[in-house]
Amino acid sequence: MQNASSRPIALITGITGQDGSYLTELLLAKGYEVHGLVWHASQLERSPIGPLVRDPQINGKTLFFHSGDLADGQTLRRVFQEVTPQEVYHLGGQSHVGRSFEIPESTCEEVGMASLRLLESSRALAGSVKIYLASTAEVFGAAAEVPQTEETKFRPTSPYGCAKAFMTQISRVYRQSYGIFVCNGILYNHESPRRGEAFVTRKISRTVAAIQHGLTDKLVLGNTQARRDWGHAQDYVEAMWMMLQHPRPDDYIVATGVTHSVQDFVEAAFAVAGLPWEKYLVTDRTLERRLEPTQLVGNPAKIQQTLGWHPEHSFEGLVREMVEADLADLASK
């Protein structure tokens, strides 16, 4: 299956998600052979990676899928041995902050322990493998400084943030103790039309489109004054790839360095549809987070200076792309 050509080989966990689908497209465009670890193969065509799955020139030619579970270390080792990847991008696991309060044990299992199993599996490989781990700004939580840098202390405020903090720290131990080439991308919020509908940005864009099509008459949100450092997922997967091309493994903050409020996102989204947001927005305090983190805004100086990474998408362009995609999607149904 692999080794038939000189293509570099990459393995992606979480390949069916927003980041996984964009990363797969990026790697295929760069001439990679891409392998994805998937839980239910039957769901592939309904995921963001569906168009690639349906392309007979790609699926089974340069894109392959392996059934497995991040909770099963034996499966991970088997897939590693079958694929023998040069690069591994670990994007899988529960990634919704609010949901992590509802399912804290499985969140910590999927995010923390699964990452440890992956690191252990990589140690068993003959030869070198470069690993990217998807960390998050949620590790900073109640941050002691604004903006945050790679040296900012971890102070997570959610089970999800705690699990990611463990993942980030244990990978540093493996890097120092075993010489494993592992990078942590401490990613701030990044969105796209492929974002899951449970996330606030997609909830906004989808509801605005539904209002425009007469399918609903209100948008219900919690704290609209909460601020986030929002970027575009396409820019951020480029950063993931760049980390593994650098000669030395390290950790990098991936952010725009600029914050916007949820209210800003709401107003920009309604403007795309030409609708007055005041008429439709309803706030519900029961939807607010149990503990809102300190203003999370990243300082991307290190990745800009070391790797030359810079985001290409603007906030306004991101919002427009998301709303227009949802408008088009609902129009086709």
Side-chain angles (χ1 to χ4, degrees), residues 1 3 10 25 44 59 69 78 91 97 100 107 110 128 133 135 137 140-141 148 150 159 194 251 254 287 292:
M1 182 166 55
N3 302 323
E25 292 171 354
L44 285 174
N59 191 6
D69 188 341
R78 173 182 56 78
L91 314 180
V97 175
S100 74
T107 295
E110 290 181 27
S128 62
L133 297 181
S135 190
F140 298 126
Q148 294 84 48
E150 289 80 4
R194 301 178 188 179
D251 301 336
V254 185
L287 298 178
E292 182 65 30

Side-chain angles (χ1 to χ4, degrees), residues 54-77:
R54 293 187 288 271
D55 189 334
Q57 299 303 313
I58 294 176
N59 191 6
K61 303 292 194 304
T62 55
L63 176 61
F64 304 90
F65 298 98
H66 305 262
S67 296
D69 188 341
L70 290 172
D72 183 356
Q74 184 175 352
T75 296
L76 281 176
R77 289 190 291 274

Side-chain angles (χ1 to χ4, degrees), residues 155-311:
R155 298 176 64 185
T157 56
S158 68
Y160 173 70
C162 290
K164 285 291 188 179
F166 169 81
M167 181 202 77
T168 308
Q169 294 285 40
I170 195 66
S171 69
R172 291 172 176 172
V173 171
Y174 272 61
R175 185 166 63 206
Q176 295 164 2
S177 300
Y178 301 115
I180 292 177
F181 192 114
V182 55
C183 298
N184 289 292
I186 304 175
L187 272 60
Y188 283 65
N189 294 66
H190 49 291
E191 319 298 322
S192 76
R194 301 178 188 179
R195 191 58 143 153
E197 293 183 30
F199 293 85
V200 67
T201 51
R202 186 70 194 291
K203 178 180 179 181
I204 294 169
S205 66
R206 192 71 173 175
T207 304
V208 168
I211 291 171
Q212 178 72 289
H213 285 287
L215 301 176
T216 187
D217 60 359
K218 61 184 177 181
L219 168 63
V220 183
L221 297 174
N223 179 16
T224 61
Q225 298 310 307
R227 302 187 69 85
R228 295 290 184 271
D229 183 336
W230 275 306
H232 197 296
Q234 279 185 305
D235 290 332
Y236 286 32
V237 299
E238 180 82 24
M240 298 174 190
W241 176 79
M242 294 174 75
M243 289 180 206
L244 298 195
Q245 312 317 305
H246 194 65
R248 293 180 301 278
D250 208 342
D251 301 336
Y252 299 91
I253 279 181
V254 185
T256 69
V258 179
T259 64
H260 292 87
S261 66
V262 174
Q263 182 68 34
D264 293 336
F265 202 105
V266 168
E267 294 182 18
F270 275 101
V272 172
L275 297 170
W277 66 268
E278 301 92 339
K279 182 179 178 181
Y280 303 102
L281 178 62
V282 177
T283 57
D284 181 351
R285 295 198 62 182
T286 65
L287 298 178
E288 295 181 11
R289 278 197 188 185
R290 288 178 172 83
L291 183 60
E292 182 65 30
T294 305
Q295 183 176 337
L296 294 179
V297 52
N299 181 349
K302 180 178 177 179
I303 193 170
Q304 291 175 351
Q305 295 167 6
T306 306
L307 304 184
W309 176 86
H310 295 272

